[in-house]
Amino acid sequence: MAKDKYAPKPLNDIMAGLSGRLSNYAGKSQALDKQQTLLTEFLSPNLADKCRVSNYRDGTLMIEAVSAPIALRLNYLKMDLLSHFRGAGMAELGQIKITANPQSSQRLTQNNASKSANNTTAKKLPMSEQTSDYLTAIAQNAPPSLREKLERLAKHGKK
């Protein structure tokens, strides 16, 4: 019998092929997180919010700043940063490259704006009585654990 190439593969077979790459990504992510923590410890909170560690490869640490003036300021601190990272256990660190990336600033600003807009909208909108009635009707046919939660939620609309 011929093997069906369209047959679904077991998840274990798929994960076995990816596990090496996933563990590499996880290790790199943890290393970058540690380096970001070291950067945040060294810089003032205001300056640390405007830059991030973007990569570390072959003894070169890449730091991304949200604007050219921030990148220039970090360049003035480059030798002190290098000493700080080496003192924290990164003896193989040879150089630090600082780049300005305005797109990261735009993404950060858009994400923060949308999150704050969603938070204020959710706080301002009360639940209608009709929604409360719908929740009560759904709760009647729901399992007991879900029924209690739906009924508690429905009480908010009846206030």
Side-chain angles (χ1 to χ4, degrees):
M1 251 186 131
K3 187 174 181 181
D4 185 11
K5 67 178 183 179
Y6 298 109
K9 296 178 183 172
L11 186 59
N12 291 337
D13 293 347
I14 295 170
M15 291 305 289
L18 294 177
S19 66
R21 285 188 278 171
L22 288 175
S23 64
N24 287 343
Y25 290 139
K28 179 125 182 171
S29 176
Q30 288 174 347
L32 288 176
D33 190 40
K34 180 184 175 199
Q35 293 157 0
Q36 181 66 39
T37 303
L38 289 171
L39 181 68
T40 305
E41 288 173 0
F42 180 76
L43 299 174
S44 66
N46 192 22
L47 190 58
D49 290 341
K50 295 180 174 76
C51 60
R52 70 178 185 92
V53 174
S54 60
N55 198 3
Y56 178 74
R57 182 179 44 216
D58 300 328
T60 302
L61 184 70
M62 300 290 294
I63 298 176
E64 213 173 63
V66 296
S67 65
I70 300 296
L72 181 64
R73 191 170 203 183
L74 289 173
N75 272 317
Y76 287 134
L77 298 170
K78 189 186 287 190
M79 294 310 291
D80 294 332
L81 270 171
L82 192 60
S83 297
H84 178 72
F85 278 99
R86 285 180 178 164
M90 293 180 63
E92 71 282 354
L93 180 61
Q95 66 178 345
I96 295 176
K97 289 187 178 180
I98 299 168
T99 58
N101 186 357
Q103 285 83 18
S104 66
S105 170
Q106 292 171 353
R107 283 191 303 261
L108 181 65
T109 306
Q110 289 172 353
N111 287 342
N112 289 343
S114 65
K115 286 179 185 175
S116 63
N118 288 341
N119 289 343
T120 57
T121 306
K123 291 177 184 175
K124 291 181 182 177
L125 295 176
M127 182 187 296
S128 69
E129 282 192 27
Q130 183 180 14
T131 304
S132 177
D133 293 337
Y134 287 150
L135 287 172
T136 306
I138 293 170
Q140 291 173 356
N141 297 325
S145 62
L146 182 59
R147 181 180 302 137
E148 295 170 11
K149 293 171 186 169
L150 288 172
E151 288 172 348
R152 267 188 292 162
L153 184 60
K155 285 181 186 177
H156 290 288
K158 302 213 178 191
K159 289 183 178 180

